[in-house]
Amino acid sequence: MDDLEKAILISFDESGTIDSVLKSQAIAYCQQIKESTSICSICIERLCISKIVQVEFWCLQSLHEVLRVRYSSMGPEEKSFVRKSVFSMACFEAIDDESSVRVLEGPAFIKNKLAQVLVTLIYFEYPLIWASVFTDYLPHLSKGATVIDMFCRVLNALDDELISLDYPRSAEETAVAARVKDAMRQQCVSQIVRAWYDIISMYRNSDAEVCTSVLDSMRRYITWIDIGLIVNDAFIPLLFELILVDGLPDQLRGAAVSCVLAVVSKRMDAKPKIRLLQSLQISRVFGLIAEDSDSELVEKVAALLTGYATEALDCSKRLNSQEDIAVPMELLDEVLPSVFYVMQNCEIDTTFSIVQFLSSYVATMRSLSPLREKQLRHVGQILEVIRAQIRYDPSFRDNLDALDKIGREEEDRMVEFRKDLFVLLRSVGRVAPDVTQVFIRNSLASAVATSADRNVEEVEAALSLFYAYGESISDEALRSGSGILRELVPMLLSTRFPCHSSRLVALVYLDTIVRYMKFVQEHTEYVPMVLAAFLDERGIHHPNVNVSRRASYLFMRAVKNAQSKACAFCRDNLSGIKNCFQCPFV
């Protein structure tokens, strides 16, 4: 081991056993070597002879930095030498007759760094100087999984470093990306797609990891290559075979699902997009979401169904004639039950995107009057989804009641989580007020009917729905008790829930009463029920101090808002109220 290798090892050491002065000297020595004019030759020579991963990484990192900073000042011979050497490493070939570079046998981070170096060369040289880089690489894929894996890493690095729009790009990088994509489309994309198809067909039953890598790379490129290269009688059936065949690893099946999602999300005019969506026969995957709600595959399928529904809805907005709109609406009707099922039954990280989609779908209903029977069913399912999503996890029941650290964190999380869902509820309430009111009534009735030890979360959710719905009702509708509000408010006031001792239930119960006080002001016969709710064990005399204090504050607000009616009741029932005020928190 010579001085450079020793210096590299010392500079990378994180054990804390190396003297700080010695480590500083080692770092300075490495930097000195990196700044020498022969650094490219030094790095490639080391990569040919060293088997130490730290040395390999330092050499590749140095090559990457030098190419980015000094490429324009390098001579033609040096550029040619680096180009040939790096390409040989990536293809698992010897650099010369005596060298045997085995970088591809190293760990993933070494191969990723090599891919980054090759992509830097592509950045500067493709297609004007090095036009054959991709077509030269393809024949080497026959060497097997090692080279195929490296090719996927190169494509991924090209996407990460240059092409993907997920990262901010400078004007120069944007121009280079356009140049590279245009050249690839003209020269080699169709050959790369053919290689993807052949590899997946060959390795699907023998090397799932290789196939998964190919599909992950392919997913990235579908967004900008000719969609006809993927959407055809060869590739789409292959993707669905991978998705639907039992026995294949979930990771491979999920990668195929992600490719179909990339196809679905491809930017296109509305009419050809509708034809594409129809051709996929997406109903084939509906049954997969019921397999295992926690699996990675179900998460991928859920994202696909959400994306499919979103695209169908978007197409309906971009079409003008009712005849054209009918087709995407039929596709929506087909997929929506599965989207609803996903939200109600699958614990996956797609909730936010689904809520966005449902909000957009409900918005389209505002122009439809009256709603069709199928749309009314969808409204009911959306409400079921909202109720399922806003329900607290029973495992936090004691924490929430005691309001300890865990309880406060869970309550804060749910308050934030519920915001978009309650906005969706209010939108549904405006579009279909009668359906929403009936749903809330049935939710309250169902919550009352369940046993006390089971219905804390259900009652809290039903009351929260009723509370949030109030924001979508006009003052006039509140005062008059439009729809079945005339039934719902008395139901609320007269109900004594078995789980009323729960802090969350008691608090939302009182808040909901205050929300509907305009109705009580116009219907004075319910004033005694309001006062009783605040002054008995549901309010000021509640065993939980947090509820009792909140009840005192809300009671003052309620009396102030209904002052004349409340005072008349108080005069008639003075002795009873005096007994109620034997409470230390009032």
Side-chain angles (χ1 to χ4, degrees), residues 463 466-468 492 503-517 534 550-551 553-554 557:
L463 289 169
F466 192 20
Y467 175 84
L492 173 73
R503 182 186 67 87
L504 283 179
V505 169
L507 287 175
V508 71
Y509 178 79
L510 296 172
D511 283 334
T512 306
I513 290 176
V514 174
R515 166 60 52 88
Y516 290 92
M517 278 301 295
F534 279 105
R550 177 71 174 167
Y553 166 73
L554 292 176
R557 278 184 55 189

Side-chain angles (χ1 to χ4, degrees), residues 2 4-5 8 33-34 36-52 54-67 71 74-90 93-103 110 113-114 117-118 121 125 130:
D2 62 14
L4 178 57
E5 291 189 345
I8 292 171
I33 297 295
K34 190 182 293 185
S36 69
T37 57
S38 58
I39 181 61
C40 292
S41 297
I42 292 172
C43 289
I44 291 170
E45 179 186 352
R46 295 286 165 177
L47 288 167
C48 291
I49 62 176
S50 180
K51 304 300 180 186
I52 303 172
Q54 292 94 328
V55 174
E56 291 179 331
F57 183 82
W58 185 88
C59 291
L60 291 169
Q61 177 69 22
S62 297
L63 279 175
H64 180 241
E65 292 177 9
V66 168
L67 287 171
Y71 178 83
M74 293 169 61
E77 290 185 4
E78 186 177 19
K79 291 177 183 177
S80 176
F81 171 67
V82 173
R83 182 189 314 129
K84 179 187 175 196
S85 301
V86 170
F87 188 72
S88 295
M89 292 182 217
E93 287 199 325
I95 292 177
D96 53 47
D97 294 337
E98 299 180 358
S99 303
S100 179
V101 183
R102 317 301 291 180
V103 173
I110 295 292
K113 183 55 67 174
L114 175 59
V117 174
L118 183 53
L121 287 169
E125 300 189 345
W130 192 9

Side-chain angles (χ1 to χ4, degrees), residues 69-341:
V69 176
R70 295 194 229 161
Y71 178 83
S72 60
S73 63
M74 293 169 61
E77 290 185 4
E78 186 177 19
K79 291 177 183 177
S80 176
F81 171 67
V82 173
R83 182 189 314 129
K84 179 187 175 196
S85 301
V86 170
F87 188 72
S88 295
M89 292 182 217
C91 295
F92 215 26
E93 287 199 325
I95 292 177
D96 53 47
D97 294 337
E98 299 180 358
S99 303
S100 179
V101 183
R102 317 301 291 180
V103 173
L104 299 196
E105 294 178 342
F109 70 90
I110 295 292
K111 290 181 280 191
N112 288 339
K113 183 55 67 174
L114 175 59
Q116 199 175 34
V117 174
L118 183 53
V119 165
T120 304
L121 287 169
I122 292 171
Y123 180 98
F124 288 113
E125 300 189 345
Y126 182 77
L128 300 178
I129 299 172
W130 192 9
S132 62
V133 55
F134 296 105
T135 54
D136 286 347
Y137 207 131
L138 291 174
H140 293 277
L141 299 180
S142 62
K143 294 177 182 176
T146 301
V147 179
I148 294 170
D149 172 75
M150 187 61 206
F151 186 59
C152 292
R153 292 178 191 274
V154 171
L155 293 177
N156 294 348
L158 182 62
D159 184 62
D160 288 337
E161 299 289 321
L162 185 61
I163 295 175
S164 175
L165 298 177
D166 293 337
Y167 308 99
R169 307 291 185 194
S170 66
E172 178 187 345
E173 289 171 332
T174 302
V176 173
R179 183 192 76 207
V180 168
K181 289 193 293 185
D182 288 344
M184 290 182 70
R185 288 189 188 102
Q186 294 175 12
Q187 182 196 47
C188 61
V189 162
S190 60
Q191 294 169 296
I192 291 173
V193 172
R194 182 66 201 185
W196 286 337
Y197 180 86
D198 291 341
I199 291 167
I200 295 168
S201 300
M202 181 182 299
Y203 288 92
R204 55 184 292 186
N205 294 317
S206 59
D207 197 329
E209 188 173 348
V210 163
C211 292
T212 301
S213 296
V214 169
L215 290 168
D216 286 341
S217 295
M218 188 174 105
R219 168 186 57 81
R220 296 166 175 252
Y221 284 74
I222 288 173
T223 59
W224 60 268
I225 66 175
D226 178 6
I227 195 63
L229 295 171
I230 306 297
V231 180
N232 51 51
D233 293 337
F235 230 129
I236 290 298
L238 176 61
L239 290 175
F240 275 95
E241 283 177 28
L242 296 174
I243 294 169
L244 297 171
V245 172
D246 287 331
L248 293 176
D250 278 1
Q251 191 174 12
L252 172 57
R253 298 171 74 188
V257 172
S258 295
C259 285
V260 176
L261 176 57
V263 168
V264 165
S265 305
K266 178 85 170 178
R267 291 184 181 180
M268 299 171 63
D269 291 337
K271 288 187 177 180
K273 169 60 77 67
I274 287 297
R275 290 194 294 271
L276 185 154
L277 296 179
Q278 286 180 298
S279 71
L280 294 178
Q281 302 174 44
I282 201 68
S283 60
R284 290 181 283 179
V285 306
F286 289 171
L288 297 178
I289 58 175
E291 288 189 357
D292 180 359
S293 61
D294 294 327
S295 74
E296 180 182 348
L297 176 61
V298 170
E299 183 173 350
K300 299 283 190 182
V301 173
L304 170 59
L305 297 179
T306 307
Y308 182 94
T310 301
E311 293 297 324
L313 179 62
D314 179 67
C315 287
S316 72
K317 293 178 179 179
R318 291 190 284 146
L319 296 170
N320 297 319
S321 72
Q322 289 300 316
E323 182 180 352
D324 289 337
I325 293 173
V327 178
M329 295 309 290
E330 288 176 6
L331 298 179
L332 265 178
D333 289 341
E334 179 185 37
V335 74
L336 276 175
S338 295
V339 174
F340 297 140
Y341 180 90

